[in-house]
Amino acid sequence: MTTVEPTVEAPGRDRILDEAATLFLEHGYEAASIRRIAEAVGMRAASIYHHFNSKEDLLEAILRRGLEVMTVAFGEASTATLGAPGPERLAAHVRAHLAALYENGPYTATHVTTFRTAPQSVRATIVPQRDAYEVLWTSLLDDLVTSGLLAPDTAVGPARLMLLGGMNASVEWFDPHLGSLDDLSELITRQTLYGLSNPMTD
Amino acid sequence: MTTVEPTVEAPGRDRILDEAATLFLEHGYEAASIRRIAEAVGMRAASIYHHFNSKEDLLEAILRRGLEVMTVAFGEASTATLGAPGPERLAAHVRAHLAALYENGPYTATHVTTFRTAPQSVRATIVPQRDAYEVLWTSLLDDLVTSGLLAPDTAVGPARLMLLGGMNASVEWFDPHLGSLDDLSELITRQTLYGLSNPMTD
DNA sequence: TTGCCTACCTAACGTTCGTTAGGTAGACTT
DNA sequence: AAGTCTACCTAACGAACGTTAGGTAGGCAA
């Protein structure tokens, strides 16, 4: 719901972040050169260094912003569904994560696609913030086990990884201009909770 | 079960493919230079060009091999479970895909992590073979709907994308040296079919 | 024995990379 | 009016990139 980025016509530093994130997302970190980023922004390569100390700093800022978008979205979903029934709470958080991926600029999508192959030094500085986001999900799933929605023997660790992995993997095929984000959220939530099997014969 | 690659001590061309796939997987296509690949193999950069016409050709060969490993594994699972009950068939194919990811060299893992950001010309030549693999999964899921295992109103397209996406996403966190591939297969199959919800209260 | 083929090598090419040094035009401050 | 700061610029650096030309040593064929 909350739109973090205007995406168009942001000045200076934010324009660079926008265009760099878009190019990192599409071609990867190494393949997107400072000169191509600068060209997309409409300036010269050297001018980038007025705003960022290095290409790695630029990547780090983008990864951090992506994580921030996710974290804020998670928090909003949490406060919005305090005391709500389990399925509704899960659905809201799924929807929030997907909104972070598709509706708040390229930062989150760039994070999930670029983090794995980012330079080690960049990854290291991001890891704590990333772990914190995963803890949020772990707590949520723990709560849902406690409340009885999820099976008591649920392996919360793998379940979290699979749920996040499945949502993140959707950036490879889901196009928010073609499909509805609400439909996708509902599909993922329902499938996560109840699976694909035929309830009639089960 | 079938091991396609000896992985160690393969001569010439195969050694190059092995080391290149490993480096592409770890750092991405652009970040892994011909010189670093050659160094890993134990030869000079120019010697790579005795075996491949270009870096893009090398990538294409790796992506193709990854797809071939997947396709062969799928076929073996299919023939091995002809006439078997639905859950068993699905489990076998899940296990086959995961084995392709983790037990047959870095080719399949490189494919799933590198394809999206590969140069457009390389992607274009791979797409038909990739589509063919997806058709295999679509047919399998269609069969499972027909046989009554999956709900009649299952959206097979999204279901396939989520299942494959979830399995592929596991390369970000699953380590076959730490966890059992059979356990992971069983977890994914069960979660795909029945979800996480508590069967007692449902 | 000669000649070819395979599998490498050294050396170098032009290009692009990230990055730095130093300059400038305009706005804002004093 | 003078000085300072911001946001860019041109020009250039050394390093690394993919790639090519041309050479060589060993095995195999005639």
Side-chain angles (χ1 to χ4, degrees), chain A residues 89-129:
Chain A
R89 279 183 70 208
L90 179 61
H93 286 89
V94 165
R95 167 70 221 233
H97 185 86
L98 292 171
L101 269 178
Y102 295 110
E103 293 185 335
N104 292 91
Y107 300 100
T108 301
T110 300
H111 182 112
V112 304
T113 59
T114 305
F115 180 80
R116 199 185 56 88
T117 53
Q120 211 277 323
S121 62
V122 176
R123 268 206 318 271
T125 69
I126 298 287
V127 158
Q129 203 176 335

Short mmCIF file of all heavy atoms in Angstrom, two decimals, chain A residues 89-129:
data_model
loop_
_atom_site.label_atom_id
_atom_site.label_comp_id
_atom_site.label_asym_id
_atom_site.label_seq_id
_atom_site.Cartn_x
_atom_site.Cartn_y
_atom_site.Cartn_z
N ARG A 89 -3.60 -13.39 8.83
CA ARG A 89 -2.28 -12.81 9.15
C ARG A 89 -1.23 -13.29 8.17
O ARG A 89 -0.44 -12.50 7.64
CB ARG A 89 -1.86 -13.20 10.57
CG ARG A 89 -2.50 -12.34 11.65
CD ARG A 89 -2.00 -12.73 13.03
NE ARG A 89 -0.61 -12.38 13.26
CZ ARG A 89 0.20 -13.04 14.09
NH1 ARG A 89 -0.25 -14.09 14.75
NH2 ARG A 89 1.44 -12.64 14.24
N LEU A 90 -1.20 -14.59 7.91
CA LEU A 90 -0.22 -15.11 6.95
C LEU A 90 -0.42 -14.47 5.58
O LEU A 90 0.54 -14.02 4.94
CB LEU A 90 -0.34 -16.63 6.85
CG LEU A 90 0.62 -17.29 5.85
CD1 LEU A 90 2.08 -17.03 6.24
CD2 LEU A 90 0.36 -18.79 5.73
N ALA A 91 -1.67 -14.41 5.15
CA ALA A 91 -1.97 -13.84 3.84
C ALA A 91 -1.48 -12.40 3.75
O ALA A 91 -0.92 -11.98 2.73
CB ALA A 91 -3.47 -13.90 3.57
N ALA A 92 -1.66 -11.63 4.81
CA ALA A 92 -1.24 -10.23 4.80
C ALA A 92 0.27 -10.11 4.67
O ALA A 92 0.78 -9.23 3.96
CB ALA A 92 -1.71 -9.54 6.08
N HIS A 93 1.00 -10.99 5.33
CA HIS A 93 2.46 -10.91 5.26
C HIS A 93 2.97 -11.39 3.90
O HIS A 93 3.95 -10.86 3.37
CB HIS A 93 3.08 -11.71 6.40
CG HIS A 93 2.96 -11.05 7.73
ND1 HIS A 93 1.88 -11.24 8.56
CD2 HIS A 93 3.77 -10.16 8.38
CE1 HIS A 93 2.04 -10.52 9.67
NE2 HIS A 93 3.17 -9.85 9.58
N VAL A 94 2.32 -12.40 3.35
CA VAL A 94 2.69 -12.83 2.00
C VAL A 94 2.46 -11.69 1.02
O VAL A 94 3.33 -11.35 0.21
CB VAL A 94 1.86 -14.07 1.59
CG1 VAL A 94 1.95 -14.32 0.09
CG2 VAL A 94 2.34 -15.30 2.35
N ARG A 95 1.29 -11.09 1.14
CA ARG A 95 0.94 -9.98 0.28
C ARG A 95 1.94 -8.83 0.45
O ARG A 95 2.37 -8.19 -0.52
CB ARG A 95 -0.48 -9.52 0.60
CG ARG A 95 -0.93 -8.20 0.05
CD ARG A 95 -1.10 -8.24 -1.46
NE ARG A 95 -0.60 -7.02 -2.05
CZ ARG A 95 -1.27 -6.24 -2.87
NH1 ARG A 95 -2.48 -6.58 -3.25
NH2 ARG A 95 -0.74 -5.15 -3.34
N ALA A 96 2.36 -8.59 1.68
CA ALA A 96 3.32 -7.50 1.94
C ALA A 96 4.67 -7.79 1.29
O ALA A 96 5.28 -6.90 0.68
CB ALA A 96 3.49 -7.32 3.44
N HIS A 97 5.14 -9.02 1.41
CA HIS A 97 6.43 -9.37 0.80
C HIS A 97 6.35 -9.25 -0.72
O HIS A 97 7.27 -8.73 -1.37
CB HIS A 97 6.83 -10.78 1.21
CG HIS A 97 8.21 -11.18 0.72
ND1 HIS A 97 9.36 -10.89 1.42
CD2 HIS A 97 8.60 -11.82 -0.40
CE1 HIS A 97 10.41 -11.35 0.74
NE2 HIS A 97 9.97 -11.92 -0.37
N LEU A 98 5.26 -9.71 -1.29
CA LEU A 98 5.10 -9.61 -2.75
C LEU A 98 4.98 -8.16 -3.19
O LEU A 98 5.50 -7.78 -4.25
CB LEU A 98 3.89 -10.42 -3.20
CG LEU A 98 4.04 -11.93 -3.04
CD1 LEU A 98 2.72 -12.64 -3.30
CD2 LEU A 98 5.12 -12.47 -3.98
N ALA A 99 4.32 -7.34 -2.38
CA ALA A 99 4.23 -5.92 -2.71
C ALA A 99 5.60 -5.27 -2.67
O ALA A 99 5.94 -4.44 -3.52
CB ALA A 99 3.28 -5.21 -1.75
N ALA A 100 6.41 -5.68 -1.70
CA ALA A 100 7.78 -5.17 -1.64
C ALA A 100 8.54 -5.56 -2.90
O ALA A 100 9.33 -4.79 -3.45
CB ALA A 100 8.51 -5.71 -0.41
N LEU A 101 8.27 -6.76 -3.40
CA LEU A 101 8.96 -7.24 -4.60
C LEU A 101 8.53 -6.51 -5.86
O LEU A 101 9.33 -6.32 -6.78
CB LEU A 101 8.68 -8.74 -4.79
CG LEU A 101 9.65 -9.73 -4.15
CD1 LEU A 101 9.18 -11.15 -4.41
CD2 LEU A 101 11.05 -9.54 -4.72
N TYR A 102 7.25 -6.13 -5.92
CA TYR A 102 6.72 -5.68 -7.20
C TYR A 102 6.19 -4.26 -7.21
O TYR A 102 5.97 -3.70 -8.28
CB TYR A 102 5.59 -6.62 -7.65
CG TYR A 102 6.05 -8.01 -7.94
CD1 TYR A 102 5.72 -9.07 -7.11
CD2 TYR A 102 6.84 -8.27 -9.05
CE1 TYR A 102 6.16 -10.36 -7.37
CE2 TYR A 102 7.29 -9.55 -9.33
CZ TYR A 102 6.94 -10.59 -8.48
OH TYR A 102 7.39 -11.85 -8.75
N GLU A 103 5.96 -3.66 -6.07
CA GLU A 103 5.27 -2.37 -6.08
C GLU A 103 6.06 -1.24 -5.45
O GLU A 103 5.53 -0.16 -5.25
CB GLU A 103 3.93 -2.50 -5.33
CG GLU A 103 2.93 -3.38 -6.04
CD GLU A 103 1.57 -3.39 -5.36
OE1 GLU A 103 1.51 -3.13 -4.15
OE2 GLU A 103 0.58 -3.66 -6.04
N ASN A 104 7.31 -1.45 -5.09
CA ASN A 104 8.06 -0.39 -4.44
C ASN A 104 9.42 -0.20 -5.06
O ASN A 104 10.42 -0.12 -4.37
CB ASN A 104 8.18 -0.66 -2.94
CG ASN A 104 6.85 -0.55 -2.24
OD1 ASN A 104 6.13 -1.54 -2.12
ND2 ASN A 104 6.49 0.65 -1.84
N GLY A 105 9.44 -0.11 -6.38
CA GLY A 105 10.69 0.07 -7.08
C GLY A 105 11.46 -1.23 -7.20
O GLY A 105 11.06 -2.26 -6.66
N PRO A 106 12.59 -1.19 -7.90
CA PRO A 106 13.33 -2.41 -8.21
C PRO A 106 14.23 -2.89 -7.08
O PRO A 106 14.94 -3.87 -7.24
CB PRO A 106 14.16 -2.01 -9.44
CG PRO A 106 14.33 -0.53 -9.31
CD PRO A 106 13.15 -0.01 -8.54
N TYR A 107 14.18 -2.22 -5.93
CA TYR A 107 15.17 -2.51 -4.89
C TYR A 107 15.05 -3.91 -4.30
O TYR A 107 16.04 -4.63 -4.19
CB TYR A 107 15.07 -1.45 -3.78
CG TYR A 107 15.34 -0.08 -4.31
CD1 TYR A 107 14.30 0.81 -4.59
CD2 TYR A 107 16.64 0.33 -4.58
CE1 TYR A 107 14.56 2.06 -5.11
CE2 TYR A 107 16.91 1.58 -5.09
CZ TYR A 107 15.86 2.45 -5.36
OH TYR A 107 16.12 3.67 -5.88
N THR A 108 13.86 -4.28 -3.92
CA THR A 108 13.69 -5.60 -3.32
C THR A 108 13.98 -6.72 -4.32
O THR A 108 14.68 -7.68 -4.00
CB THR A 108 12.28 -5.75 -2.75
OG1 THR A 108 12.05 -4.74 -1.77
CG2 THR A 108 12.09 -7.11 -2.10
N ALA A 109 13.46 -6.56 -5.52
CA ALA A 109 13.71 -7.58 -6.54
C ALA A 109 15.21 -7.68 -6.83
O ALA A 109 15.75 -8.79 -6.97
CB ALA A 109 12.95 -7.26 -7.82
N THR A 110 15.88 -6.55 -6.88
CA THR A 110 17.32 -6.56 -7.09
C THR A 110 18.03 -7.26 -5.93
O THR A 110 18.96 -8.05 -6.13
CB THR A 110 17.86 -5.13 -7.23
OG1 THR A 110 17.21 -4.50 -8.35
CG2 THR A 110 19.36 -5.12 -7.46
N HIS A 111 17.56 -6.98 -4.73
CA HIS A 111 18.16 -7.64 -3.58
C HIS A 111 18.09 -9.17 -3.71
O HIS A 111 19.11 -9.86 -3.59
CB HIS A 111 17.47 -7.20 -2.29
CG HIS A 111 18.05 -7.80 -1.05
ND1 HIS A 111 18.74 -7.06 -0.11
CD2 HIS A 111 18.11 -9.09 -0.62
CE1 HIS A 111 19.17 -7.86 0.83
NE2 HIS A 111 18.78 -9.10 0.56
N VAL A 112 16.90 -9.69 -3.96
CA VAL A 112 16.76 -11.15 -3.94
C VAL A 112 17.47 -11.81 -5.11
O VAL A 112 17.87 -12.97 -5.01
CB VAL A 112 15.27 -11.59 -3.88
CG1 VAL A 112 14.57 -10.96 -2.69
CG2 VAL A 112 14.55 -11.26 -5.17
N THR A 113 17.67 -11.09 -6.21
CA THR A 113 18.33 -11.73 -7.35
C THR A 113 19.83 -11.51 -7.35
O THR A 113 20.56 -12.28 -7.98
CB THR A 113 17.77 -11.18 -8.69
OG1 THR A 113 17.98 -9.77 -8.73
CG2 THR A 113 16.30 -11.50 -8.84
N THR A 114 20.29 -10.47 -6.67
CA THR A 114 21.70 -10.08 -6.79
C THR A 114 22.53 -10.46 -5.57
O THR A 114 23.74 -10.61 -5.66
CB THR A 114 21.80 -8.55 -7.01
OG1 THR A 114 21.02 -8.20 -8.14
CG2 THR A 114 23.23 -8.12 -7.24
N PHE A 115 21.87 -10.63 -4.44
CA PHE A 115 22.61 -10.83 -3.20
C PHE A 115 23.58 -12.02 -3.27
O PHE A 115 24.73 -11.92 -2.84
CB PHE A 115 21.65 -11.04 -2.03
CG PHE A 115 22.34 -11.27 -0.71
CD1 PHE A 115 22.84 -10.20 0.02
CD2 PHE A 115 22.52 -12.55 -0.22
CE1 PHE A 115 23.50 -10.41 1.22
CE2 PHE A 115 23.18 -12.77 0.97
CZ PHE A 115 23.66 -11.70 1.69
N ARG A 116 23.12 -13.11 -3.84
CA ARG A 116 23.91 -14.34 -3.81
C ARG A 116 25.27 -14.19 -4.48
O ARG A 116 26.28 -14.74 -4.02
CB ARG A 116 23.14 -15.48 -4.45
CG ARG A 116 23.63 -16.88 -4.10
CD ARG A 116 22.86 -17.94 -4.89
NE ARG A 116 22.96 -17.70 -6.32
CZ ARG A 116 23.94 -18.17 -7.09
NH1 ARG A 116 24.87 -18.94 -6.57
NH2 ARG A 116 23.99 -17.89 -8.38
N THR A 117 25.33 -13.44 -5.59
CA THR A 117 26.59 -13.30 -6.31
C THR A 117 27.26 -11.95 -6.05
O THR A 117 28.23 -11.62 -6.73
CB THR A 117 26.35 -13.46 -7.83
OG1 THR A 117 25.31 -12.56 -8.23
CG2 THR A 117 25.97 -14.88 -8.18
N ALA A 118 26.76 -11.19 -5.09
CA ALA A 118 27.39 -9.91 -4.77
C ALA A 118 28.79 -10.16 -4.21
O ALA A 118 29.06 -11.23 -3.65
CB ALA A 118 26.55 -9.15 -3.76
N PRO A 119 29.69 -9.17 -4.37
CA PRO A 119 31.04 -9.31 -3.80
C PRO A 119 30.96 -9.60 -2.30
O PRO A 119 30.09 -9.06 -1.60
CB PRO A 119 31.67 -7.93 -4.04
CG PRO A 119 30.94 -7.38 -5.22
CD PRO A 119 29.55 -7.93 -5.14
N GLN A 120 31.86 -10.43 -1.85
CA GLN A 120 31.83 -10.91 -0.47
C GLN A 120 31.77 -9.77 0.54
O GLN A 120 31.02 -9.83 1.52
CB GLN A 120 33.05 -11.81 -0.21
CG GLN A 120 32.82 -12.92 0.80
CD GLN A 120 32.98 -12.42 2.22
OE1 GLN A 120 33.84 -11.59 2.49
NE2 GLN A 120 32.15 -12.92 3.14
N SER A 121 32.53 -8.72 0.29
CA SER A 121 32.59 -7.61 1.25
C SER A 121 31.22 -6.93 1.37
O SER A 121 30.83 -6.50 2.46
CB SER A 121 33.64 -6.59 0.80
OG SER A 121 33.30 -6.06 -0.47
N VAL A 122 30.52 -6.82 0.27
CA VAL A 122 29.18 -6.22 0.29
C VAL A 122 28.22 -7.14 1.04
O VAL A 122 27.46 -6.69 1.90
CB VAL A 122 28.68 -5.96 -1.14
CG1 VAL A 122 27.26 -5.44 -1.12
CG2 VAL A 122 29.60 -4.99 -1.87
N ARG A 123 28.26 -8.42 0.69
CA ARG A 123 27.37 -9.38 1.36
C ARG A 123 27.54 -9.32 2.87
O ARG A 123 26.56 -9.31 3.63
CB ARG A 123 27.66 -10.80 0.88
CG ARG A 123 26.82 -11.23 -0.29
CD ARG A 123 26.65 -12.74 -0.36
NE ARG A 123 27.86 -13.48 -0.08
CZ ARG A 123 28.76 -13.83 -0.98
NH1 ARG A 123 28.60 -13.48 -2.24
NH2 ARG A 123 29.82 -14.51 -0.65
N ALA A 124 28.79 -9.26 3.30
CA ALA A 124 29.07 -9.31 4.74
C ALA A 124 28.40 -8.17 5.49
O ALA A 124 27.86 -8.36 6.58
CB ALA A 124 30.58 -9.29 4.97
N THR A 125 28.39 -6.98 4.90
CA THR A 125 27.82 -5.83 5.61
C THR A 125 26.30 -5.90 5.65
O THR A 125 25.66 -5.27 6.48
CB THR A 125 28.23 -4.50 4.95
OG1 THR A 125 27.59 -4.39 3.68
CG2 THR A 125 29.73 -4.42 4.78
N ILE A 126 25.71 -6.66 4.74
CA ILE A 126 24.25 -6.73 4.64
C ILE A 126 23.69 -7.84 5.51
O ILE A 126 22.54 -7.77 5.97
CB ILE A 126 23.84 -6.97 3.17
CG1 ILE A 126 24.29 -5.81 2.27
CG2 ILE A 126 22.35 -7.18 3.03
CD1 ILE A 126 23.50 -4.55 2.45
N VAL A 127 24.48 -8.86 5.75
CA VAL A 127 24.00 -10.08 6.40
C VAL A 127 23.21 -9.84 7.69
O VAL A 127 22.14 -10.43 7.88
CB VAL A 127 25.15 -11.07 6.61
CG1 VAL A 127 24.85 -12.06 7.71
CG2 VAL A 127 25.46 -11.81 5.31
N PRO A 128 23.69 -8.98 8.60
CA PRO A 128 22.94 -8.81 9.85
C PRO A 128 21.50 -8.34 9.63
O PRO A 128 20.55 -8.90 10.20
CB PRO A 128 23.75 -7.75 10.60
CG PRO A 128 25.12 -7.84 10.05
CD PRO A 128 24.95 -8.22 8.62
N GLN A 129 21.36 -7.33 8.76
CA GLN A 129 20.02 -6.81 8.47
C GLN A 129 19.15 -7.89 7.83
O GLN A 129 17.95 -7.99 8.08
CB GLN A 129 20.19 -5.62 7.51
CG GLN A 129 19.03 -4.64 7.52
CD GLN A 129 19.32 -3.44 6.62
OE1 GLN A 129 20.48 -3.10 6.36
NE2 GLN A 129 18.26 -2.80 6.14
#
